[in-house]
Amino acid sequence: MTANKKKILVTESMSATGRALLNARDDIDLVEFPNMISAPDFEALLRAQAPVHGVALGATRFGEPELEASGDMKVVTRIGVGYDAVDVPALSRRKVPLMVAGTANSPSVAECALFMMLTLAKRAVEMDTMVKNGTWPERLGKLPYDLFGKTLLIVGFGRIGTRTAKRCQAMEMQVLVYDPYKSPADIKAAGCEAVPELNAALPRADFVSIHCPKTPETVGLFNAARLRLMKPTAYLINTARGGIVDEKALYDALASGKLAGAGLDVFEQEPPPVSNPLFGLPNVITAPHVAGVTREAVDRMSEQTARNILSALDGDPIRQNVINQDVLG
């Protein structure tokens, strides 16, 4: 590699559209790594390839050891929007921007949240089983529910929460929003009702959909006490991050009939052990953290990630996609 080239490590999950943007530049040298690479192997790869100037991450953790191993990191990006696996203060100390894919996957996650609500309310798994197992006569004893006229509580009103609200308003649901960082006026302008207290809003909701980031403030946000505030007929949807919901408390609520059901795309441990007690409950539907990973979303996220990398290397990072704004001049 010539001295003026920049070495960029990209996870294998980056699609062809993103790679094409990077490969079109003759000053970029791409190196691929597995999306599920172990931390020791990733650090070893960084050292072997150093100096590394940019990285496009999937699920891989990134912090001080990786910064040290890379030698000359200029930009860290995620092919996604969550960044709980990245040590942001460590990047800020070295003036390295952390960039995310903006709105690229928000329609996909919003669709998944609505899909999980519909799957649970319409008892899709049970209905499918009745037909295939020849238990058709049981159908009238397990009637599905409508979303029409029901109340949804959205927790977190960012890129994904706002899109989820629009989709559920189309289903003629009443939408409540809890987000202490959004003004009530903005929430009202979106046709939703702002609720200042989460605990006061939970007993009103037929569905609760989580769309807040995972932070020290939100870890364990849905604990046993809060789950007890929900209606026994209510459903909880989590397409945000594992750890925001206390899984043991959720199991207890579901198993005891204190909660009607749950849709989970994310877990405290990923991948979760197959022995996870939640998997034995008939009122739980699951997905392997793919709400924002549709074919279209991967293309959009990969393209945005490539543009993020190039903008940072060219000295003008796309500001709205930078998480640690303190590194910008």
Side-chain angles (χ1 to χ4, degrees):
M1 186 180 73
T2 57
N4 62 337
K5 278 202 170 188
K6 302 298 184 185
K7 186 173 288 185
I8 308 299
L9 266 58
V10 299
T11 176
E12 61 190 1
S13 60
M14 176 174 269
S15 73
T17 55
R19 293 170 189 271
L21 282 173
L22 295 170
N23 283 324
R25 292 271 295 253
D26 58 11
D27 61 339
I28 299 290
D29 182 31
L30 290 187
V31 177
E32 184 179 283
F33 65 94
N35 190 49
M36 297 303 291
I37 192 171
S38 69
D41 286 349
F42 186 52
E43 187 176 339
L45 176 64
L46 286 166
R47 291 191 185 281
Q49 294 290 338
V52 175
H53 305 95
V55 62
L57 302 169
T60 312
R61 292 193 169 276
F62 200 97
E64 191 63 46
E66 291 78 18
L67 282 167
E68 187 64 29
S70 66
D72 191 23
M73 187 60 64
K74 303 294 186 187
V75 58
V76 174
T77 61
R78 279 221 64 250
I79 309 176
V81 296
Y83 51 91
D84 51 291
V86 179
D87 186 343
V88 182
L91 268 63
S92 291
R93 285 193 294 270
R94 296 180 181 239
K95 304 298 181 185
V96 175
L98 168 63
M99 303 184 72
V100 297
T103 61
N105 73 345
S106 53
S108 308
V109 181
E111 284 186 17
C112 183
L114 178 56
F115 159 76
M116 285 187 157
M117 290 180 217
L118 283 165
T119 300
L120 289 163
K122 299 303 179 183
R123 306 180 82 153
V125 175
E126 294 165 278
M127 298 297 160
D128 180 70
T129 300
M130 283 181 207
V131 175
K132 292 178 179 177
N133 287 357
T135 55
W136 187 288
E138 295 179 8
R139 71 193 191 282
L140 297 181
K142 296 184 178 180
L143 292 180
Y145 300 90
D146 287 339
L147 266 60
F148 168 77
K150 298 299 193 302
T151 297
L152 165 68
L153 171 61
I154 290 177
V155 179
F157 205 56
R159 301 178 179 103
I160 298 168
T162 52
R163 279 182 160 84
T164 302
K166 289 179 182 178
R167 283 152 180 77
C168 292
Q169 286 165 336
M171 304 299 292
E172 299 181 75
M173 301 179 78
Q174 178 188 8
V175 181
L176 314 178
V177 172
Y178 173 73
D179 190 329
Y181 300 100
K182 296 289 182 181
S183 75
D186 287 345
I187 294 170
K188 184 178 180 181
C192 306
E193 179 187 340
V195 290
E197 296 292 336
L198 179 58
N199 289 356
L202 286 170
R204 298 175 57 190
D206 300 298
F207 295 84
V208 176
S209 192
I210 301 171
H211 299 291
C212 58
K214 183 179 181 179
T215 66
E217 183 182 11
T218 62
V219 169
L221 184 67
F222 282 83
N223 54 21
R226 286 212 169 91
L227 292 172
R228 281 196 295 269
L229 296 174
M230 295 176 65
K231 298 178 182 179
T233 54
Y235 296 93
L236 179 68
I237 310 294
N238 188 9
T239 56
R241 281 292 186 272
I244 296 174
V245 177
D246 180 326
E247 289 183 8
K248 183 183 183 304
L250 178 62
Y251 174 85
D252 291 342
L254 291 165
S256 63
K258 300 294 178 57
L259 199 60
L264 305 172
D265 182 54
V266 291
F267 301 89
E268 291 175 350
Q269 177 186 336
E270 293 186 355
V274 295
S275 59
N276 188 318
L278 287 165
F279 301 166
L281 296 177
N283 51 350
V284 174
I285 59 170
T286 62
H289 202 152
V290 292
V293 195
T294 62
R295 293 176 184 271
E296 297 85 354
V298 169
D299 282 344
R300 291 192 298 264
M301 289 189 294
S302 296
E303 182 177 339
Q304 186 59 68
T305 299
R307 295 189 188 282
N308 284 344
I309 290 170
L310 294 174
S311 71
L313 294 181
D314 291 340
D316 188 21
I318 301 168
R319 298 184 73 92
Q320 65 265 32
N321 291 340
V322 176
I323 296 301
N324 49 343
Q325 293 271 320
D326 53 303
V327 306
L328 300 176

